[in-house]
Amino acid sequence: MEWLNDFLPLSLERMGIWIGAICTVALYSILYRENPAYRLFEHLFIGLAAGYSLGPLVGDILYKYWYLPLTEGAWWWAFAVPFGMWLYFIYSEKYGWVSRIVIGVLIGASAGLFFQQFCSLYVPQIYASFKPIIPTGANEGLLASNAINNFIFIVVLLSVLTYFLFSFEQRGPVKRTAVLGRWMLMIALGAIFGNTLMARMALLVGRVYYLLHDWLMQI
Amino acid sequence: MSIQHAQDNWFVAILIAIISLFILFNIFRARKGRALYIRRIAGLDAIDDAIGRATEMGRPILLIPGMTAFGVIAMQSLNIFKYITRESARFATPMRFLTANPTVYTVAQETIQEAYQEAGRPELYEPDSIRFLSDRQFAFASGAAGLMQREKVAANFMFGEFFAESLIFAETGNMVGAIQIAGTVSTTQVPFFVAACDYTIIGEEFYATSAYLSREPVLLGSLVGQDWAKILFASLILFGSLVATFWGTDTPLLGVFGKAGGWDAFFKGEGQ
Amino acid sequence: MQQQNIWTKLIRVDRRILYLILFLNIAVFLMFPFKMPATITSPARGLYDAVDSLQPNDLVMISSNWSASTMAENQPQLEAIIKHLIRKGARFTLVSNEAQSRDLSKRIAVGVTQSSDNAEYHTYGQKWAHLGFVTDLIAAIRGMGSNLSEAVKQDVEGTPIDQLPVLQGAKSLKDYKMVIDVTPSGTLPYWISYRPPNLIVGYAPTSVMAAEGFTYLDSKQLVGMITGLKGAHEYEQLMGETGLGHKFINAISFSHVLILLFIGLGNLAMIMARRAQGEA
């Protein structure tokens, strides 16, 4: 009886948990078959997700970064919103070109930032690819096993790079290297798939835990 | 270790300049009318087969650019979707386009309309066939999965940037029996597409497909320029490994190629 | 003929039955858990050691960019990391690039800090704060890298940044020792690319995104990484704590065993059915 009192949605908190449980079960019902409950909660989810993000956008972004500076004397921020609103001209056939100014600024900024991103991300990785492949004594402490690992690393790296060459027909040794690259890619993709399977199982375990622990209180 | 500015390692700045030169030079060549060769990607035949099958079954095809924000990847996806729409317009195959980005939605409307005009079938264009569902990842996935189930799509084309929702699309497409062709640069999502789709275009093949189909000089030139850059990187890596093997990983010569302060250490003798 | 039917039936088994078996498998191992020690991987060890080397009052940024969809993986990670930071007496601030995460991560931080033995963390703003939601992470990182109070004007409760006790003496990200990115999406490249050079980066992704992290680990752009729920379990074990990682690990491990069984049976059935068809 006590369990039943705790289980039923007799408080706000329990009602929230019940709603979460009903949503979970309704969305999982697609696994049985397409049904109206899934469609209802699918649309509810879409609407809720869109509406939820509006709150932080207005409160944390527009209010904090546009309204407050504007009211504290930074009058130039007044131009920010109209400039952003120019994007809506994309709906106009006659004035659609106005939206391209905004899009151009966004793309230009990303393109410029990308140079720094490329240098910071990939150049250190190229540098880290300079691995010794034979223990010659020039590298103290390099074990044969590490050298073999490094050799495999270099072979895989170069063969995968060869696979992604498009400006000439691949024949002979180049084609064989590219085929090796594709095999190595598939092995790596299999490992990534395994990782992702783990992620999916974890999310499912999380939901089942919610149903069994938070809702049914069996754990 | 991080390279923030050119003076951290001048070789990096030179490298960027060389790669930019490769790309600009090849764009110039392409614009001048020089026929730049791109090998045919195997996935292109699969696209044509998929369109044919959808036409035979009399069910719509579905185009999904994923969670792609408006940018390079979105434009490449739209190039590919324009080709698919043009081909499907020849057979009057119904088409649905779902997007999670409002800007991609508006650009897609123009692109798809152009595709129908180029195919000589402007009357087939339906604005309602292009839909913005939600910019929330799983909300978009739920909506797309629901549409696939309701309309029983015959072919599913997924090109763009995908995240965790990719397997939801691919698996739902499998459940309704759709033929699925996917192409993405998102490394983490490629395994799902490989497992669940009939053909997958992996990584850079996506850009090559877009360049091959559109034949735009900028795309062709960029692709050839990038190939030259890859050959340069491969040579650097081979050279660096040989130096590391015979002279050690600590040698200042290697630091030139990407260690913060490595340029100064080698050329000016600083920090040694 | 009888044997052929078994294999064909196995291939054609309704997937809903498989879903049910999987659900029951997970439910059983959640309801009847047992201790399962983790093999500590070197990326997890790397992150643990990096956090463990922090001194009291060192500043750490936690970039929490997940939503309810990935709560099962990111929540245990965030809880374990916050507990470790409290144990080290480090100051920490959270920032979110995802609208839901602003509330979720704050709620989790409040829960962990309130239940900790260290009373300094019981009052919001003293040793920890949440800097709120930012739409453009690149702009936010670059802005915080030069001037924290200009980039993030107020925290999530509306207090100006320069009035927060936790950020006394901190002008920008250059005053931070470390950033830990707890995320299900591709935000790591932004932290690696645009952070101040002295800021070391730790990574706590969902398992999906872990593959990207290995290249950065190899090139030492990351100090360490905990991969999804398994990573959270490893981290909890290193700390000697039990949390959601410990609770879920049995169910996850045995669901993988079940999946392997399904894959093995499915492939075997396919081979045997083809063989039988060939013979017929």
Side-chain angles (χ1 to χ4, degrees), chain B residues 1-58:
Chain B
M1 181 243 308
S2 121
I3 309 271
Q4 297 286 322
H5 304 285
Q7 56 261 38
D8 291 341
N9 186 310
W10 283 107
F11 172 75
V12 175
I14 294 168
L15 186 68
I16 295 293
I18 291 172
I19 295 168
S20 306
L21 223 71
F22 284 165
I23 293 172
L24 289 170
F25 175 67
N26 282 289
I27 291 173
F28 179 74
R29 285 171 75 206
R31 281 203 172 136
K32 282 286 174 194
R34 179 78 182 261
L36 296 182
Y37 175 80
I38 305 284
R39 62 180 170 86
R40 187 173 169 86
I41 311 298
L44 293 172
D45 296 327
I47 290 175
D48 294 332
D49 290 343
I51 296 170
R53 185 175 142 167
T55 308
E56 283 167 16
M57 293 168 84

Side-chain angles (χ1 to χ4, degrees), chain A residues 118-131, chain B residues 1 3 6 8-16 18-19 232-244 247-267, chain C residues 219:
Chain A
F118 179 86
C119 295
S120 296
L121 284 182
Y122 303 121
V123 172
Q125 289 183 17
I126 294 171
Y127 177 68
S129 304
F130 300 155
K131 293 178 188 291
Chain B
M1 181 243 308
I3 309 271
D8 291 341
N9 186 310
W10 283 107
F11 172 75
V12 175
I14 294 168
L15 186 68
I16 295 293
I18 291 172
I19 295 168
L232 174 65
F233 287 140
S235 312
L236 259 177
I237 289 165
L238 208 52
F239 172 75
S241 297
L242 292 171
V243 171
W247 283 278
T249 50
D250 294 334
T251 176
L253 176 61
L254 286 186
V256 170
F257 298 115
K259 184 177 174 181
W263 178 276
D264 293 330
F266 184 78
F267 287 103
Chain C
S219 57

Side-chain angles (χ1 to χ4, degrees), chain C residues 5 40-41 62 84 86 114 123 133 136 172 230 274:
Chain C
N5 283 341
I40 309 295
T41 55
I62 302 177
H84 198 185
I86 292 172
Q114 291 296 317
T123 310
F133 168 61
D136 189 333
S172 70
K230 184 182 179 309
R274 276 190 192 163

Side-chain angles (χ1 to χ4, degrees), chain A residues 56-70 72, chain C residues 130-134 150-159 161:
Chain A
L57 268 169
V58 171
D60 275 17
I61 306 298
L62 281 178
Y63 177 74
K64 252 166 69 172
Y65 295 105
W66 180 70
Y67 180 76
L68 279 182
L70 194 59
E72 286 164 8
Chain C
H130 198 303
L131 304 183
F133 168 61
V134 294
E150 277 297 312
V152 184
K153 299 187 186 306
Q154 297 174 345
D155 74 344
V156 75
E157 301 207 340
T159 310
I161 293 296

Side-chain angles (χ1 to χ4, degrees), chain C residues 118-133:
Chain C
N118 192 332
E120 285 183 302
Y121 289 88
H122 290 179
T123 310
Y124 173 85
Q126 291 298 319
K127 291 282 271 189
W128 76 277
H130 198 303
L131 304 183
F133 168 61

Side-chain angles (χ1 to χ4, degrees), chain C residues 218-239:
Chain C
D218 184 59
S219 57
K220 310 269 187 294
Q221 288 165 296
L222 276 182
V223 293
M225 177 172 78
I226 48 173
T227 306
L229 194 62
K230 184 182 179 309
H233 179 228
E234 290 173 45
Y235 206 88
E236 286 167 10
Q237 183 162 306
L238 284 167
M239 286 177 57

Side-chain angles (χ1 to χ4, degrees), chain A residues 27 30-31 33-34 38-39 42-43 45-47 49-50 53 87 90-91 100 103 107 115-116 118-120 123-124 126-127 129-139 153-154 157-158 161-170 182 185-186 188-190 192-193 196-197 200 203, chain B residues 1 3-4 12 15-16 19-20 37-39 41 70 103 105-107 110 133-134 136 138-139 142-143 145-146 149-150 164 167 187-192 194-195 202-205 208 223-224 227 230-231 233-234 236-238 240-241 244-249 254-255 257-259:
Chain A
L27 285 167
I30 190 72
L31 298 174
R33 64 167 181 226
E34 168 76 11
Y38 172 80
R39 280 201 296 276
E42 170 202 337
H43 289 95
F45 180 32
I46 292 170
S53 52
L87 203 51
I90 207 161
Y91 292 106
R100 291 196 189 110
I103 293 170
I107 291 180
F115 283 100
Q116 185 187 352
F118 179 86
C119 295
S120 296
V123 172
I126 294 171
Y127 177 68
S129 304
F130 300 155
K131 293 178 188 291
I133 52 178
I134 307 168
T136 55
N139 297 288
F153 174 90
I154 297 295
L157 175 58
L158 294 179
L161 265 178
T162 308
Y163 176 71
F164 287 115
L165 292 173
F166 301 104
S167 56
F168 51 87
E169 191 68 41
Q170 292 181 343
R182 190 171 167 94
L185 260 176
M186 289 301 150
L189 293 175
I192 294 171
F193 189 93
T196 311
L197 198 71
R200 304 285 181 243
L203 301 183
Chain B
M1 181 243 308
I3 309 271
Q4 297 286 322
V12 175
L15 186 68
I16 295 293
I19 295 168
S20 306
Y37 175 80
I38 305 284
R39 62 180 170 86
I41 311 298
F70 187 70
T103 317
Y105 167 71
T106 45
V107 177
E110 281 184 29
L133 292 183
S134 170
R136 298 292 100 190
F138 289 105
S142 307
Q149 296 257 7
R150 286 189 292 275
L167 193 56
T187 337
T188 47
Q189 309 312 317
V190 169
F192 303 132
V194 168
I202 300 170
E204 277 230 46
E205 289 181 322
L223 199 68
V224 175
D227 266 16
K230 279 176 223 163
I231 293 169
F233 287 140
L236 259 177
I237 289 165
L238 208 52
S241 297
T245 302
F246 295 107
W247 283 278
T249 50
L254 286 186
F257 298 115
K259 184 177 174 181

